[in-house]
Amino acid sequence: MRRFNLAVLAALSLTTALTAVPARAAEDAPRPLGLDHCTATACHFDVPPGTYDVQVLLGGDAASRTRLGGETRRALLPETAVAAGERTARSFTVNVRTPEGEPTGPAGTPGLDLTIGGGAPALAGIRVTPARHARQVFLVGDSTVCDQPGDPYSGWGQQLPQYLRKGLSVANYADSGESTVSYLQNPQLWATVEPLIRPGDLVLVQLAHNDKTTDAATYRANLETLVAGVRARGGEPVLVTPIVRRWFNSDGTLDNNTALLVNGLGVDHPAVIRSVAAAEGVPLIDLTAKTKALVESLGVEGSKALYLYNEKRDNTHTSVHGATVYAGLVRDELLAQHLVPEGLVRAEG
C-alpha cells in the first residue's frame, strides 16, 4: 500500500460541511484527496507517533453504514448510517504511539492504520492532519481496560474512543496483568505516562484486579502516588473503581468478595478507591457500583454476553459488546460530572 508524509497530509481537504448534503453537490466539488491510500477495507498513513485529527466523508449512491477502527483494534467511529445519494462528514482525534497497543506489548505497525467496516461501508473522502489543540484522556489500568490485541477480548478503554469527537484523544496505557505495585515499578508504564501529561489532560486510573496480595496501606499509598503525580503535571486525576467479576451468589446477587474485588487479605479495593477519592478531592467514577447493578439486572444468563463466559468461561474479561457497554457507562460519567465538554462527546456508540 502506498504511503505519504505529513506535508501531503497537511494538503488534504474535505470540501463538505458537517451535515448531510446531496450527492450531486458532492460530485460538483473537487474530489477529496487521500482515498488512493485506502483499500476497500483499510487505510494507512505514514506518520510519526503523535496525535492526529481525522475527518472522513461517508456515503455513496446506495444507503450505507460505515464504522471505523484503527491501530490495535480500537473503536474510533461508531457505525454511521447515511441515506442513499447523500454524504455525511464525521471527525475524531486518534493517538498514534509505539507500542501502539499495550505498553509492554509488541511495537505494532508504524504510522496510522484505520480499518473500514460496518453493514454497508462507504468511505467517500478522508483527511488526516496533526492535532493542534487536542486534550488527552490517559488511561491507567489493567486487562479489563487495555487495547486487547486479539479477539474475542476487548477492554473498555479500547471502545471509549468511539464516544469522543475531534478534540479529545484516548491514550490508553492500560496493560494486562498490572497492579498498582507493578504499574508504578515498571519503567514502561507510569514512568512513561507521567511525563506525557499536560495541563488539562484527564488521567483515569482503574487498577485493582491484580492487587491480590497488596495490603490496604500499600494500595492506598500507591493510589495517592498516582494522584499526586498527575496533579504535579497539571493533569486532572479521576479514580475509577474496577468493573465487577461476573460471580453470582445463589440468590442472583454479586455480593461476594470475588465479584466485588476484595482480595485475599480482606482489602476492599472499591472501598479504598472511594476513600482516597473523597480524601483527595478527586472525581470518582464508581464503575463497580454501575457494573454490579447492570450485571444483576441482566441476570445469570443475560449477563454472559458482557463477558467471555460463552467463549472462554471467563467471568472477568469483557467481550467487545461488554466493553462497549462499559465504555458507555464511563462516557456517561464523564458528562455527568462535567469532566469533558458535552460538545466533544457522542451520544451514539
Side-chain angles (χ1 to χ4, degrees):
M1 190 181 301
R2 293 175 60 189
R3 303 185 177 196
F4 55 93
N5 57 33
L6 282 175
V8 177
L9 293 178
L12 299 183
S13 62
L14 284 177
T15 55
T16 181
L18 292 179
T19 55
V21 296
R24 184 158 300 279
E27 292 168 358
D28 292 341
R31 180 178 179 274
L33 302 175
L35 290 179
D36 54 337
H37 302 279
C38 300
T39 68
T41 58
C43 302
H44 176 82
F45 303 92
D46 190 14
V47 297
T51 305
Y52 295 89
D53 291 331
V54 179
Q55 292 176 275
V56 294
L57 186 64
L58 308 176
D61 294 337
S64 62
R65 299 189 308 278
T66 308
R67 177 180 64 250
L68 292 178
E71 297 298 271
T72 303
R73 302 178 60 241
R74 298 179 216 162
L76 298 174
L77 186 72
E79 187 165 274
T80 303
V82 181
E86 294 190 345
R87 305 288 187 272
T88 297
R90 293 288 186 268
S91 60
F92 54 88
T93 301
V94 60
N95 173 254
V96 177
R97 62 181 182 272
T98 302
E100 70 177 33
E102 296 180 86
T104 62
T109 305
L112 170 60
D113 288 285
L114 302 177
T115 57
I116 306 165
L123 179 64
I126 190 165
R127 179 188 182 211
V128 177
T129 55
R132 301 300 183 189
H133 305 291
R135 185 184 184 192
Q136 299 280 15
V137 180
F138 288 94
L139 303 182
V140 170
D142 52 38
S143 59
T144 65
V145 184
C146 75
D147 287 349
Q148 288 281 358
D151 287 326
Y153 295 88
S154 180
W156 62 255
Q158 202 163 20
Q159 302 299 322
L160 185 61
Q162 67 186 302
Y163 290 108
L164 306 182
R165 300 181 188 273
K166 177 184 174 183
L168 277 179
S169 171
V170 174
N172 191 351
Y173 282 85
D175 196 73
S176 293
E178 306 301 342
S179 65
T180 58
V181 175
S182 64
Y183 204 94
L184 286 168
Q185 290 178 345
N186 190 330
Q188 293 176 280
L189 299 173
W190 183 239
T192 296
V193 176
E194 188 176 16
L196 301 176
I197 300 170
R198 298 174 301 181
D201 287 340
L202 285 180
V203 183
L204 276 59
V205 179
Q206 186 217 278
L207 287 167
H209 280 272
N210 300 300
D211 279 280
K212 299 175 183 178
T213 60
T214 309
D215 63 76
T218 301
Y219 186 65
R220 184 181 189 94
N222 289 343
L223 293 176
E224 292 170 345
T225 296
L226 290 166
V227 167
V230 174
R231 285 176 165 167
R233 297 290 301 175
E236 182 170 8
V238 179
L239 292 178
V240 183
T241 60
I243 66 170
V244 293
R245 296 190 180 103
R246 185 189 161 277
W247 201 270
F248 283 94
N249 296 328
S250 59
D251 63 359
T253 67
L254 298 178
D255 293 316
N256 59 75
N257 288 355
T258 300
L260 298 182
L261 283 297
V262 179
N263 74 9
L265 300 178
V267 179
D268 185 331
H269 293 107
V272 175
I273 295 169
R274 295 178 189 119
S275 175
V276 172
E280 298 290 330
V282 175
L284 173 74
I285 295 178
D286 199 342
L287 207 50
T288 304
K290 291 186 174 298
T291 55
K292 178 179 185 292
L294 176 60
V295 170
E296 288 181 340
S297 71
L298 292 173
V300 174
E301 290 301 317
S303 63
K304 288 179 179 178
L306 295 174
Y307 292 82
L308 294 174
Y309 179 85
N310 293 324
E311 300 86 349
K312 302 285 186 179
R313 294 297 188 268
D314 187 334
N315 292 306
T316 298
H317 298 98
T318 48
S319 62
V320 170
H321 168 66
T324 303
V325 172
Y326 288 175
L329 297 177
V330 174
R331 179 271 315 270
D332 293 345
E333 282 299 295
L334 292 175
L335 281 175
Q337 298 189 42
H338 306 290
L339 294 169
V340 297
E342 184 175 350
L344 296 182
V345 179
R346 300 183 196 278
E348 72 272 23

